Structures are given as structure tokens and as C-alpha cells.
Amino acid sequence: MAVRVTHDDFDAGREIAALRGGDTRVGAVASFIGTVRDVNESAVVSAMTLEHYPGMTEKALAQIVAQARERFDILDALVIHRVGELKPADQIVLVAVTSGHRGDAFDACRFIMDYLKTRAPFWKKEAIPSGARWVDARTSDDEAAARWNPKG
Amino acid sequence: MPDSRTPAITLDVVYLARLREAFGRGREGLTVASGATVGDVLAALRARGEPFAQELAPGRAVRVAVNHDIAPADRVLRDGDEVALLPPVTGG
């Protein structure tokens, strides 16, 4: 289980191939890539800065992956999240999961993203025509994370 | 080694993202009474007045991490703890 916080872009194909690593127990590989859009909340976004909390970021991502490992039957998982200055169409995050079967692979990938969106210490600042603004957290992200913990 | 008889403890308070901009600083040392909790630290900062009072008002969605783990308001702090104030996160 690996997590990485980096300024550098990633090659998803190469990372996923490394994750699979020739492990013949793997029957399913699920992955997600988040990318920078050019419009948010009715404003054109020309650039984005990703800030994080050095010292906590990798720890928080590792905890999320550990929870995925407890909840789902997965073989391996990888999270790469970029920080720094990004432009529209740039890659932000890669989540990849291997499992024997697709149900746990898909669910674990979704779970990791839903928890990353609500628990990992990253903050986006957008450059829009009127200046720079911090992106607001979305209630839809909290709702998505909450769906993994249904109340009886 | 700090113990319950130590009259005061010093914390390393960290401000992230929009809180850093609002407060004009990324971190600062804060001396509080031994036995102080996370809630006590927030109250002490609010007592400074603006902009702390508004940004950290009860009901504002600020999470606190102690030594890189999210902590509740009743967490008791120790000398040298890093206490970070985190706005709602927006990664991914």
C-alpha cells in the first residue's frame, strides 16, 4: 500500500503496471484520476494551487488506505496526489486498487476517493478573473463519505 | 519531562490555507496553562478578537489536528504539541 504526495506529474499506466506487479492473484484493477477543470462555480479557472499540511498529508492518506484494506478484500492500493501549481487538464490525483474481484476493487477505489475528499489535508486555491479564491468544500462530498457509514 | 505540576505549556500552533491568510501567519508559539484542551486553545485565540473571533467562531467548520491526527475539543494538550487549525478540506 503506497501513498505519495508530489509536485510531479504521474504516468498512470506505468504506476498501475507497477501496482499489479505480475501478481497472479489479481483479477481486477480499479482506478480513478482527478483532473483540473477550467470552470468552477460559474467562474473560469485559469490555474489552481494545491496546498497541503506537510507531516500530516501522507499519514492521513495512509490511514484512509488502511481503512480501505480493513473494509474491502483488496490486494494492493496506490494513491498519488499532486500539490503545487496546476493548470486545467492537469492530473491531480490517482487512486488505483487491485483485488481478486471487481466488486471490492470498485468499492475500495470509490471509498478511498470519498474519504480523501473529506479527510485528507489538501486545500485548493483557484485563479479566476476576479482574483484568487479558496475553493469551498462541497456538502455532496460529505454526503458521499457518509454513505459508507449508514446509520441503522 | 512535563508533568501535571508544570504551570504552563508551550504549543506550536499551525494555520493552514485560508486561516493562514486571514491571520497573517503560518504558525506561532502559544503558551497555555498545563491541562489545557483543544477547546481551550480555540477559546484563547477567539479572545484575541478579530480576525480570530470570526474565523474560529463556534459553528465555523474548523478541524484541529494534534501532532498530525484529528483531535476532539476535549483532547488534553502536552508541552511541545503541534496544534493545527484546518479549514474544510478540498483535495482530490
Side-chain angles (χ1 to χ4, degrees):
Chain A
M1 312 282 158
V3 301
R4 194 185 317 157
V5 178
T6 175
H7 284 82
D8 300 333
D9 199 4
F10 51 82
D11 180 336
R14 191 184 72 200
E15 297 290 346
I16 289 169
L19 182 72
R20 292 170 60 187
D23 186 344
T24 52
R25 296 172 301 166
V26 174
V29 184
S31 66
F32 172 83
I33 296 172
T35 57
V36 181
R37 291 179 298 130
D38 61 0
V39 173
N40 188 36
E41 306 258 351
S42 307
V44 174
V45 177
S46 58
M48 169 188 294
T49 304
L50 253 298
E51 175 175 329
H52 74 116
Y53 179 15
M56 181 176 173
T57 318
E58 276 148 342
K59 185 176 184 180
L61 291 175
Q63 287 171 341
I64 291 168
V65 170
Q67 287 187 66
R69 192 176 191 179
E70 286 172 23
R71 287 176 179 246
F72 307 105
D73 183 18
I74 62 175
L75 293 166
D76 207 350
L78 170 68
V79 178
I80 302 174
H81 199 300
R82 294 177 69 189
V83 292
E85 301 286 329
L86 298 177
K87 296 270 191 291
D90 280 355
Q91 300 185 125
I92 303 169
V93 60
L94 170 68
V95 173
V97 178
T98 58
S99 175
H101 301 282
R102 71 186 184 285
D104 282 277
F106 275 128
D107 284 349
C109 187
R110 181 99 190 228
F111 170 89
I112 290 169
M113 267 312 300
D114 287 345
Y115 267 45
L116 183 157
K117 295 289 278 186
T118 53
R119 287 162 172 75
F122 296 98
W123 296 272
K124 292 172 178 167
K125 193 172 189 184
E126 297 172 326
I128 57 175
S130 58
R133 69 178 176 194
W134 291 99
V135 171
D136 283 329
R138 297 174 186 266
T139 49
S140 58
D141 287 335
D142 287 322
E143 290 161 1
R147 282 198 287 274
W148 293 106
N149 302 297
K151 303 284 186 259
Chain B
M1 180 78 74
D3 58 31
S4 60
R5 293 167 293 173
T6 311
I9 58 174
T10 301
L11 309 170
D12 194 8
V13 180
V14 174
Y15 306 114
L16 278 308
R18 60 182 304 276
L19 291 178
R20 182 189 63 255
E21 290 186 350
F23 300 156
R25 69 204 79 176
R27 67 197 312 142
E28 61 178 317
L30 187 72
T31 300
V32 295
S34 176
T37 65
V38 164
D40 293 333
V41 168
L42 292 173
L45 294 174
R46 284 195 290 265
R48 292 175 171 181
E50 298 307 343
F52 297 88
Q54 178 180 341
E55 294 291 345
L56 305 178
R60 292 298 291 263
V62 175
R63 281 201 197 131
V64 180
V66 177
N67 302 330
H68 305 146
D69 282 308
I70 296 294
D74 61 1
R75 165 77 171 268
V76 175
L77 298 164
R78 298 161 61 95
D79 190 51
D81 277 348
E82 180 165 301
V83 180
L85 275 53
L86 316 179
V89 300
T90 55

